[in-house]
Amino acid sequence: MDSVEMDSVQLFLDQIRPRSDAEVSWLKDVFSYVTKQLCPLLTGPAPRFADETLTGGGVCSDVCVSLSVCVVKTLQQNMTVTHTLPVSYRLVSVSELVSWQHLACVSHLSWSTNQHQAWAREVEVSLPGSKALPRVNLLLIGCLREGQGGEWRLMDSSGSVRCEVLAPSPQWIDHLIFLPHWNYIPHNASGQDEAGGSVELIGSPVLLCSGPDQGLAVGAGAGVGPCRAVGVREAAGLLNDRVRGQRVSVCGQVGSVFPLLVVSGTTFFCFMLTEDKHTLPVLVKDSSRLWWSQCVCVGQSVCVTALRVCVLRGWRGNNILCVTDYSEIHTNYTPTHTPVVDTHAESQSDTTPMTTSHADDVDCEEAEPEREVVQSGVRMKESRVISYQGTVTEVVSEGAGLYMIDRKVGLCLAYQPSLRRRLRAGDCVQLHHVHFLYRPCLDFPPSMLCTCLRSSLRVTSFSRAGGAPTGSTCPSDGALTRLLLEKNTGVSEYLWTCHLSSQLSHSLVSSVVEQQCVCVLSWKLMEFVWRRRGRGRRDIYSEMLDEPHTCPLTQYRVEPAVPQYISVSELRWSLQSSCWSSVSLRSLLPPGGSGLTRSDINTALAWSCRTLTSDPQTGESFSRRPLLLVGVLELPSPTSEHKHALQLRDGTAAVACVVTETSEEEEGGCLVCVHQFTMVTERFLQSDFPSYTHLDQDQFITHKHCRVYLQFSLDHLYILSPSVAMVTHLRQRGEESGGDVTDRKQTAEEEEMEGSQTAGRKRRRKQPGSSHFASSVAMTMCSMGGASRPCVSVVLRVEQKEGVAWRNAGEGLEEDGAGLVLHFSVRAAVIGPVVSWGRDPKNGPMIDKETEGEKEEKVVLVFSGVSTRWFPLLQSGCFYRLVAADTQDPSVLIGCGVSGRSGVELYTDSTLQVRSDWRFHSLTHPLLLHTCRQALSPTVLSVSEVLDSSSELVCFQGVVSDRISLNDRTTDSGHAPKGVRLTISDQSGRSLQVYLDLSHTPYPPGLLPGNTLLLSAFYRKLSRSGGVYCSHLPVSSVTVMSLGDTSSARLPPAPMMHLGLWALNRKQRGTVAEVRGHVVCFLFVQLQWSCSLCGRVYTQSCSSSQCRSTSSVFQSKAKLVIDDGTGEAHVWFSGALVRPLLGLADSQWEGLQRALRVKGHIRVYPRGQSLVCDADNALLHFLLCVCSSDVVCHPLSLTCRKHNNQRPEEMRRFSRGDRDFMTRTTPPLQLTCLHINPDCYT
């Protein structure tokens, strides 16, 4: 330190008079700070902030002393105790603040410790879960300067930092100021994404050594001062008459402040002056006046000088007032002089036409008005324009511009350019001309506020809370707002997309999130679901300046049935949690369940299913809105519950899927959206209920569990991100490989949007690292590295596929079941030789080399263990390329033949064991060579053809009409029934029973009533009574071909049949048909209380001495003769059909049961004179009268099944007088009634 500086320091200390060594040291630091950081700002050609009392015509050491004294006195004046110095505080330079302060903080010179603690408690109470900003004892002094893009910056000689001010004044610009109360938010804190952070000035700064109030200094030359200002009404008249060189000063109240826009490289903003009912727009595009945007507030009285009238061609050529180089702004202005318009002609430089005006820089075509189409079920609502003031309580998504205000009102800022300072939780905001929307999106709060280009947002109080930054949920944060800028979609669609993006970022598979932009995937899905792709470009000038006001937020759609995304784990939890709680065991029994015996009840309860649809408009669903699922469709994993079914997996869980209409395309490994599906919950219950009355007692349940899976068709899949194989297939078909938002399409859209006058900012050029916006993820069923890997392949055509079963594969295996592994085989034709490749050909087009074989050879592919996961994808008649990686040895894909003795001709095919790392790729028809012949598909029979066939091994197709579990109670319970009996029917109404043995095969999903099944290699058998049924073999396979209405599966309508023709046709056994006729007579009626356990007659107890059952069921049977004019038939009725047959009401039927309690049973033979009825009593006479009444003997329409054990013709002897006659008689047709149809003929 030289002598001059030492003298200056001593002079400074003498003026302050410190009282201790600590104050001396602190004052020396103050003087050093002022000398190094503030005094250099005063050098130069008389800067505006250099007061004459300091400069005196030049900067010297006395200036540093005077400025240091001014700083110390200013600090003392802002302290609670003014007679001491704030030695605990330290002056910090801007560069030190930015470089060393990495945590958000607050500084307040006049605070005491108690005041700070009370302030911190207020923060924690107002924002639960948040912590107050930590306090630091730092002092900031600098000069306020305007920065780029209208921002204000606090500057000293070390650097500058962005400064946010609540109520800025134009008089603060270019002045040295002291900040008594401020926050600092570094660049890595919430709400700040720029390097260097920002200073938030709380309250007004203190001007240092300020001279006379200068306001804003005027540049060289004279302008029109505020004393010559005119009102808005007079100035509005000047817009119609442009006078060259005219400048006008206008005063008025600020009605609207529009956001800063960047269009075609030009930054500008507009504000609206009002007076009574008159409005006047003012355009500010001068880069040296953009900082006015922080000074102009709605409701404030201002005066703007030196304005000129110019033409804004982007606004249909309308005139507008524009600021000039000489314009000034005066806030809180009160007019005191008579307005005068200055029409004095100026110099040549002032009268130059506006050739480089903003109108030229941002000129673009006028947007065509959008025509709104009101669709079915969609309501269009008008938004309301309001003003609102509240506190930000939650930052929902910074990148999407979504916030919560006062914990109940949503705020969307996406239709404005991004804020320079992003909002933080705790900020108090004031909104003007904001659109109020009610329920624009069901995933957001009912009340939503949305800002357009005419809205203004002003922070009235900075947040006191600190905290960690909100994590970006997407690698390209802000992609949604950029897509909104390009596409210009409605607010309902945008909010739905934002919510979907937030959910997908947490539930998608991690590999997808790493390689895909979740925002773009969400946008792509929104365009598919909403079937809309934007409404054209926005006319920003009309949106800001037109009256009446119109913008994208003026109208919005309200769609109550908009789909709702649900993760796989949420879906599984909802289905499993409501599996048993949503059902009553009594509802699982057939009609007349109260009359079932013990075994019938427990058999009926052994298996049941609940099906829910994803769309509540098409069936029962647990959601009021349609559901969407997004995940990777892939092969089953080794831990999957359903071993031979595809699974849909996201980042939360996986669920098995029954997929029908399997195409030749490889959907495996694709990221898909399932927008229409059926949720199936199969319930398995092992119980020992004694009777119907015990169903509410859980102690009779020994075991229960459920299985959950989905059913859907490939037609209801939407591919969001194709696998590598799918990309190859789509490219071969000439289609777009990446869907709607690909690199190619996005580039085209960017070129189309160049020069657009959409709001916000200049379009950013595509960066090299931004390809994840549209790139397709290379996701296949196995890992597919990008490096070249040698491999060999062979093309196969699948001809026959066996079913999956557990096989004993020997010892030493680590599979469950003591050496049991899954196994199946496929018989295929080898199309050509084994071909070597330098890299995996996947499903590329076939080459000639792959078909050079002389003749097709047959091979049996054996799948076991992990390789059995290919079972759901391999289909008969399709072509596949089998690839073995990391080898160039063709022998690995050549099957092994069976050795035989010389002279013996072998007819067996070679076998090939498929390894776990081999891959299959589908080869669709466009990829095949013309020499490839399609395989002849096996003959698929109908149920009727199977019934009439004589073949033992059959392949047939039909609809499941009924399903019954056949558990053996003597075996281990397990998790699924070991036996299942399916009733399969066709369109003719004929049905066939199929028995499945599931003890050695994985449980197959999809065997539900209503589904259409393809049953291959089943054994056709004849029962002892002559009925036809089919049984399952180890090689049998079941494939779900199409999905039906499993919630209410119905048999095909039974055909009409005449009794005479039906009796003659002996081949149609077991056929169901509808018959119509009149009742001839009753042959038999039996009513009985039976023991639910053994079936004996039950009175007060079971009639069997060995049975100790205490429960009984009421059973009824009847037999009558029906005649339709072509013949007669004996029809049997039982259970719930007897009561309506007798024409008894419910009360009469219940009284009949009570009257029969004592005796236990009664038999009635109304027309059998040779048969003996039960004891003669009133009950017997009642039933005889009922059976012979006209109410009972009336025409009926019945659905009946023909008995299989029809008796053959027999010889009978008849006597007439003294002669005997022998004749051949046909026994009556025996039928069982299945249903009494409500319609009958007379």
Side-chain angles (χ1 to χ4, degrees):
M1 182 181 296
D2 55 16
S3 58
V4 176
E5 187 175 353
M6 293 178 60
D7 293 340
S8 300
V9 172
Q10 188 60 43
L11 179 61
F12 168 60
L13 294 176
D14 293 341
Q15 295 186 38
I16 301 300
R17 298 178 182 179
R19 301 179 181 180
S20 63
D21 293 341
E23 291 186 350
V24 171
S25 177
W26 183 83
L27 289 173
K28 290 182 178 179
D29 292 339
V30 170
F31 184 83
S32 176
Y33 172 83
V34 171
T35 303
K36 294 179 181 179
Q37 305 298 337
L38 301 183
C39 287
L41 297 177
L42 304 179
T43 60
R48 285 183 283 173
F49 56 82
D51 194 276
E52 292 184 357
T53 58
L54 293 177
T55 60
V59 179
C60 60
S61 60
D62 293 340
V63 175
C64 297
V65 174
S66 301
L67 185 56
S68 299
V69 172
C70 181
V71 168
V72 173
K73 290 183 178 180
T74 302
L75 296 178
Q76 288 180 320
Q77 293 172 0
N78 286 272
M79 292 179 59
T80 305
V81 182
T82 59
H83 60 274
T84 60
L85 296 176
V87 294
S88 61
Y89 283 79
R90 180 173 67 90
L91 281 167
V92 61
S93 66
V94 171
S95 62
E96 289 177 332
L97 179 70
V98 173
S99 301
W100 299 104
Q101 187 62 40
H102 300 301
L103 297 177
C105 60
V106 60
S107 176
H108 200 306
L109 180 60
S110 62
W111 265 349
S112 64
T113 302
N114 292 335
Q115 288 175 324
H116 175 256
Q117 292 177 351
W119 178 86
R121 284 193 295 269
E122 291 178 2
V123 175
E124 296 174 357
V125 171
S126 60
L127 292 174
S130 300
K131 293 185 178 181
L133 291 171
R135 182 185 179 186
V136 294
N137 292 348
L138 299 176
L139 301 175
L140 271 179
I141 298 177
C143 175
L144 276 180
R145 295 277 187 88
E146 67 261 19
Q148 295 181 354
E151 66 180 15
W152 289 27
R153 301 193 70 85
L154 182 70
M155 175 183 292
D156 61 13
S157 63
S158 66
S160 65
V161 65
R162 184 159 57 87
C163 186
E164 300 292 341
V165 188
L166 292 176
S169 171
Q171 299 176 0
W172 300 346
I173 285 292
D174 293 338
H175 280 82
L176 284 176
I177 60 171
F178 162 66
L179 281 61
H181 188 185
W182 51 273
N183 300 335
Y184 177 67
I185 310 298
H187 69 278
N188 60 345
S190 177
Q192 178 57 247
D193 59 356
E194 293 184 3
S198 65
V199 172
E200 297 176 345
L201 175 56
I202 303 173
S204 299
V206 179
L207 299 180
L208 295 177
C209 305
S210 59
D213 189 5
Q214 300 175 2
L216 276 182
V218 184
V224 179
C227 61
R228 305 175 62 85
V230 300
V232 173
R233 181 171 55 183
E234 290 82 0
L238 300 176
L239 292 180
N240 300 326
D241 300 322
R242 294 181 59 194
V243 179
R244 187 179 182 86
Q246 181 183 24
R247 299 295 183 268
V248 62
S249 297
V250 182
C251 62
Q253 190 177 43
V254 179
S256 303
V257 181
F258 310 141
L260 277 169
L261 301 180
V262 181
V263 178
S264 299
T266 300
T267 305
F268 66 97
F269 80 97
C270 298
F271 62 92
M272 196 78 71
L273 295 178
T274 63
E275 181 183 0
D276 296 332
K277 296 183 180 180
H278 300 276
T279 59
L280 187 67
V282 179
L283 173 66
V284 182
K285 66 174 288 288
D286 194 316
S287 58
S288 63
R289 301 293 189 274
L290 293 178
W291 58 270
W292 287 11
S293 60
Q294 298 198 50
C295 298
V296 181
C297 304
V298 175
Q300 191 178 40
S301 296
V302 299
C303 178
V304 187
T305 65
L307 295 174
R308 65 184 300 177
V309 179
C310 61
V311 177
L312 187 59
R313 287 198 292 269
W315 188 30
R316 296 185 296 275
N318 291 332
N319 292 343
I320 192 173
L321 289 180
C322 182
V323 300
T324 62
D325 294 339
Y326 305 105
S327 297
E328 303 172 4
I329 186 168
H330 301 265
T331 58
N332 300 320
Y333 175 78
T334 303
T336 57
H337 297 83
T338 304
V340 177
V341 180
D342 183 10
T343 58
H344 177 68
E346 300 180 3
S347 62
Q348 182 65 31
S349 61
D350 294 334
T351 59
T352 303
M354 195 174 179
T355 55
T356 60
S357 67
H358 168 71
D360 295 325
D361 295 339
V362 297
D363 179 43
C364 61
E365 296 179 0
E366 179 182 353
E368 291 294 331
E370 186 74 14
R371 178 177 299 177
E372 298 289 349
V373 179
V374 180
Q375 299 179 354
S376 175
V378 179
R379 288 192 303 157
M380 299 298 299
K381 298 183 68 175
E382 298 282 344
S383 62
R384 293 174 52 193
V385 176
I386 64 172
S387 296
Y388 189 89
Q389 185 169 353
T391 302
V392 178
T393 53
E394 180 186 354
V395 179
V396 179
S397 173
E398 281 188 3
L402 298 175
Y403 305 87
M404 283 289 293
I405 302 180
D406 300 334
R407 296 188 179 89
K408 58 182 179 181
V409 180
L411 175 62
C412 175
L413 306 179
Y415 286 83
Q416 277 191 352
S418 299
L419 297 175
R420 180 182 59 255
R421 174 196 176 273
R422 300 223 173 148
L423 298 179
R424 296 185 291 122
D427 286 341
C428 294
V429 295
Q430 191 177 82
L431 297 161
H432 292 282
H433 203 283
V434 62
H435 291 264
F436 173 77
L437 295 80
Y438 186 72
R439 293 194 183 279
C441 180
L442 298 179
D443 299 310
F444 281 82
S447 300
M448 287 293 300
L449 299 177
C450 300
T451 58
C452 66
L453 295 182
R454 199 164 186 173
S455 308
S456 62
L457 183 148
R458 177 170 169 261
V459 179
T460 58
S461 177
F462 294 122
S463 173
R464 304 177 181 181
T470 56
S472 174
T473 59
C474 180
S476 298
D477 195 21
L480 289 176
T481 54
R482 291 194 290 273
L483 287 169
L484 177 64
L485 181 68
E486 297 175 4
K487 310 291 185 177
N488 189 23
T489 58
V491 63
S492 300
E493 295 94 317
Y494 178 75
L495 293 177
W496 186 85
T497 307
C498 293
H499 180 73
L500 176 64
S501 177
S502 175
Q503 290 184 306
L504 290 181
S505 62
H506 295 94
S507 63
L508 279 184
V509 180
S510 57
S511 58
V512 176
V513 178
E514 293 173 358
Q515 302 180 58
Q516 289 279 302
C517 176
V518 178
C519 297
V520 175
L521 289 177
S522 303
W523 194 277
K524 183 177 179 181
L525 185 55
M526 180 273 294
E527 291 183 334
F528 168 75
V529 171
W530 291 73
R531 309 292 182 179
R532 288 189 287 271
R533 295 179 177 269
R535 300 174 292 185
R537 295 177 295 181
R538 292 167 66 181
D539 188 344
I540 62 172
Y541 298 105
S542 297
E543 186 174 330
M544 291 188 298
L545 304 173
D546 271 354
E547 291 292 347
H549 171 68
T550 57
C551 70
L553 301 173
T554 304
Q555 287 187 335
Y556 61 98
R557 293 176 173 87
V558 177
E559 297 192 30
V562 63
Q564 174 185 0
Y565 168 79
I566 185 172
S567 65
V568 174
S569 61
E570 292 174 334
L571 178 72
R572 289 180 60 94
W573 180 86
S574 298
L575 296 177
Q576 292 173 351
S577 61
S578 62
C579 172
W580 299 104
S581 61
S582 63
V583 65
S584 169
L585 294 183
R586 287 181 171 85
S587 65
L588 301 179
L589 299 178
S594 58
L596 297 178
T597 63
R598 180 177 187 172
S599 60
D600 293 336
I601 289 177
N602 293 292
T603 300
L605 296 177
W607 176 89
S608 61
C609 73
R610 180 193 185 198
T611 57
L612 301 175
T613 179
S614 60
D615 190 351
Q617 295 181 355
T618 60
E620 183 185 0
S621 179
F622 64 78
S623 175
R624 295 183 179 180
R625 297 162 53 187
L627 297 177
L628 289 179
L629 280 173
V630 177
V632 178
L633 189 62
E634 59 183 12
L635 294 174
S637 62
T639 59
S640 177
E641 187 178 22
H642 298 281
K643 302 295 184 182
H644 50 20
L646 294 175
Q647 68 177 13
L648 185 72
R649 180 173 60 91
D650 64 6
T652 62
V655 63
C657 302
V658 176
V659 186
T660 62
E661 300 179 18
T662 305
S663 67
E664 295 180 347
E665 300 175 2
E666 285 192 10
E667 279 79 9
C670 297
L671 180 66
V672 300
C673 168
V674 189
H675 56 90
Q676 187 173 335
F677 54 92
T678 302
M679 298 160 280
V680 180
T681 304
E682 292 192 23
R683 295 178 287 244
F684 303 95
L685 180 69
Q686 292 187 356
S687 60
D688 193 19
F689 289 105
S691 67
Y692 181 84
T693 58
H694 295 81
L695 290 178
D696 55 350
Q697 302 178 24
D698 293 341
Q699 65 265 26
F700 296 104
I701 299 176
T702 58
H703 177 76
K704 65 179 181 180
H705 76 284
C706 65
R707 291 175 182 261
V708 174
Y709 58 91
L710 304 179
Q711 292 187 152
F712 55 85
S713 168
L714 286 182
D715 296 336
H716 300 141
L717 277 186
Y718 178 65
I719 299 177
L720 288 169
S721 176
S723 63
V724 171
M726 176 61 76
V727 171
T728 304
H729 169 74
L730 294 177
R731 187 178 295 114
Q732 294 298 328
R733 292 174 54 183
E735 296 181 356
E736 188 175 342
S737 62
D740 294 335
V741 188
T742 60
D743 289 339
R744 179 174 66 250
K745 185 168 183 179
Q746 187 183 22
T747 304
E749 289 174 349
E750 288 180 354
E751 293 174 356
E752 178 185 354
M753 294 299 294
E754 284 295 332
S756 171
Q757 49 185 345
T758 48
R761 49 192 144 342
K762 182 179 179 181
R763 176 173 305 281
R764 299 171 181 165
R765 295 182 180 178
K766 187 174 181 181
Q767 300 297 328
S770 64
S771 60
H772 59 268
F773 262 64
S775 62
S776 298
V777 161
M779 299 191 60
T780 56
M781 296 159 286
C782 301
S783 60
M784 302 190 65
S788 299
R789 300 172 61 187
C791 60
V792 292
S793 72
V794 64
V795 177
L796 307 170
R797 184 183 65 237
V798 175
E799 295 186 348
Q800 183 180 358
K801 180 176 70 170
E802 296 182 356
V804 181
W806 294 101
R807 304 287 175 86
N808 191 346
E811 300 179 355
L813 296 176
E814 297 180 356
E815 304 283 346
D816 296 336
L820 293 178
V821 296
L822 287 176
H823 177 279
F824 79 95
S825 61
V826 169
R827 188 172 185 269
V830 181
I831 303 302
V834 179
V835 178
S836 300
W837 303 84
R839 61 187 307 165
D840 191 345
K842 299 183 176 63
N843 61 342
M846 287 184 63
I847 59 177
D848 296 334
K849 192 176 181 181
E850 292 181 285
T851 58
E852 291 178 352
E854 297 180 358
K855 65 176 181 177
E856 292 184 357
E857 297 182 356
K858 307 298 181 182
V859 64
V860 176
L861 303 177
V862 179
F863 299 79
S864 61
V866 178
S867 62
T868 56
R869 62 198 180 115
W870 294 102
F871 179 82
L873 288 186
L874 299 178
Q875 304 295 328
S876 298
C878 297
F879 288 82
Y880 299 91
R881 178 182 283 124
L882 175 60
V883 178
D886 297 327
T887 182
Q888 290 286 306
D889 183 9
S891 63
V892 298
L893 293 181
I894 298 177
C896 300
V898 179
S899 60
R901 297 179 181 179
S902 59
V904 178
E905 187 176 358
L906 297 177
Y907 291 94
T908 182
D909 298 326
S910 60
T911 61
L912 179 63
Q913 182 73 37
V914 178
R915 301 179 185 176
S916 59
D917 59 340
W918 291 0
R919 294 190 296 274
F920 287 85
H921 296 289
S922 299
L923 295 178
T924 57
H925 183 68
L927 305 176
L928 300 173
L929 296 178
H930 66 279
T931 56
C932 295
R933 299 185 303 272
Q934 296 292 333
L936 296 176
S937 59
T939 302
V940 179
L941 306 177
S942 65
V943 172
S944 299
E945 292 172 336
V946 173
L947 291 173
D948 300 333
S949 174
S950 59
S951 302
E952 292 187 349
L953 203 63
V954 293
C955 174
F956 62 98
Q957 182 172 311
V959 179
V960 180
S961 57
D962 190 24
R963 167 177 169 154
I964 296 178
S965 295
L966 303 175
N967 270 347
D968 185 0
R969 297 183 179 274
T970 63
T971 59
D972 189 16
S973 61
H975 289 292
K978 300 301 182 182
V980 174
R981 189 188 76 185
L982 300 177
T983 301
I984 309 296
S985 59
D986 58 12
Q987 294 298 324
S988 66
R990 304 181 68 181
S991 59
L992 173 70
Q993 291 184 341
V994 179
Y995 293 85
L996 303 179
D997 181 10
L998 305 180
S999 58
H1000 300 292
T1001 183
Y1003 181 78
L1007 307 184
L1008 306 179
N1011 286 351
T1012 301
L1013 303 183
L1014 174 64
L1015 300 101
S1016 302
F1018 272 74
Y1019 188 34
R1020 181 183 180 273
K1021 295 182 178 181
L1022 287 177
S1023 65
R1024 285 175 294 180
S1025 62
V1028 178
Y1029 69 97
C1030 290
S1031 63
H1032 183 267
L1033 297 175
V1035 296
S1036 302
S1037 65
V1038 181
T1039 305
V1040 181
M1041 301 302 296
S1042 63
L1043 306 177
D1045 186 3
T1046 57
S1047 61
S1048 59
R1050 299 178 180 177
L1051 287 169
M1056 286 292 300
M1057 188 70 70
H1058 293 294
L1059 296 177
L1061 296 178
W1062 206 1
L1064 295 176
N1065 192 345
R1066 295 291 177 178
K1067 294 183 178 180
Q1068 292 186 355
R1069 291 172 287 190
T1071 304
V1072 177
E1074 181 182 352
V1075 296
R1076 292 184 177 183
H1078 67 275
V1079 177
V1080 176
C1081 64
F1082 273 79
L1083 300 178
F1084 173 79
V1085 175
Q1086 175 179 307
L1087 306 178
Q1088 176 177 314
W1089 283 99
S1090 304
C1091 176
S1092 62
L1093 182 60
C1094 65
R1096 300 286 185 90
V1097 177
Y1098 192 98
T1099 54
Q1100 301 299 324
S1101 62
C1102 183
S1103 59
S1104 174
S1105 59
Q1106 299 179 353
C1107 180
R1108 298 183 179 182
S1109 173
T1110 59
S1111 60
S1112 61
V1113 295
F1114 185 77
Q1115 295 179 329
S1116 57
K1117 296 180 181 178
K1119 182 180 180 182
L1120 56 78
V1121 178
I1122 188 172
D1123 188 347
D1124 67 348
T1126 65
E1128 289 186 352
H1130 291 184
V1131 185
W1132 291 82
F1133 296 79
S1134 62
L1137 297 177
V1138 177
R1139 184 196 63 78
L1141 178 67
L1142 296 177
L1144 299 178
D1146 291 338
S1147 58
Q1148 293 175 315
W1149 189 249
E1150 293 174 0
L1152 195 62
Q1153 296 179 31
R1154 288 193 300 268
L1156 199 62
R1157 269 290 187 183
V1158 177
K1159 186 177 181 181
H1161 72 284
I1162 187 172
R1163 298 184 185 91
V1164 180
Y1165 302 97
R1167 300 296 294 269
Q1169 301 299 328
S1170 62
L1171 299 177
V1172 179
C1173 296
D1174 292 325
D1176 190 11
N1177 56 27
L1179 187 58
L1180 175 62
H1181 287 289
F1182 172 75
L1183 291 176
L1184 288 173
C1185 293
V1186 169
C1187 293
S1188 60
S1189 66
D1190 295 336
V1191 177
V1192 173
C1193 298
H1194 66 282
L1196 289 178
S1197 175
L1198 308 174
T1199 301
C1200 301
R1201 175 182 286 116
K1202 185 179 180 181
H1203 289 192
N1204 291 325
N1205 53 349
Q1206 298 287 337
R1207 289 182 299 169
E1209 295 180 348
E1210 57 185 12
M1211 299 298 295
R1212 295 190 62 180
R1213 181 188 301 271
F1214 293 92
S1215 298
R1216 290 294 182 267
D1218 57 351
R1219 296 187 179 186
D1220 293 338
F1221 298 91
M1222 296 293 296
T1223 182
R1224 179 176 295 144
T1225 60
T1226 301
L1229 180 65
Q1230 301 294 317
L1231 304 176
T1232 297
C1233 180
L1234 303 178
H1235 179 66
I1236 300 178
N1237 301 322
D1239 56 329
C1240 62
Y1241 68 93
T1242 58

